[in-house]
Amino acid sequence: MAHNPQPPTMTEGPTTVGVVTPSLNAEAYIADTLRSIWSQTGVTIDHVIVDGGSTDRTLEIAAGFPSRVVVSHDDDGMYDAINKVLPGSPVTDGR
């Protein structure tokens, strides 16, 4: 098999980057996180915040950004929260 030294080429058109941010009572840092995400240029951002039922101002602050927010009161930590919005999960499949 011949070695191809050329890297694969990307398809033409805008690139979409998916970002999932798990949070729980993240008032102290959620604004900085969201400003960082939404300051990215050259890509389309698909951002979902999965909040574990914050009781501080996390959701109020997040409402000021174009992110989608999913509130989940019964997750088992950040990895479970992230998995809830991946393709095939109950949240994304409408279950």
Side-chain angles (χ1 to χ4, degrees):
M1 180 186 319
H3 174 68
N4 183 356
Q6 299 298 317
T9 58
M10 294 185 66
T11 59
E12 294 291 324
T15 300
T16 299
V17 175
V19 179
V20 178
T21 303
S23 67
L24 177 62
N25 295 325
E27 175 181 1
Y29 59 86
I30 194 71
D32 287 341
T33 299
L34 297 176
R35 276 192 292 272
S36 176
I37 290 167
W38 291 108
S39 70
Q40 303 306 305
T41 60
V43 295
T44 300
I45 302 292
D46 181 11
H47 184 231
V48 178
I49 300 167
V50 183
D51 187 80
S54 290
T55 57
D56 63 0
R57 295 182 54 239
T58 299
L59 297 176
E60 178 185 335
I61 295 166
F65 293 85
S67 306
R68 291 179 287 149
V69 177
V70 176
V71 178
S72 170
H73 294 280
D74 61 349
D75 67 52
D76 292 320
M78 73 176 179
Y79 299 110
D80 183 44
I82 292 168
N83 286 331
K84 287 185 178 205
V85 295
L86 294 176
S89 73
V91 171
T92 56
D93 284 351
R95 286 185 254 154

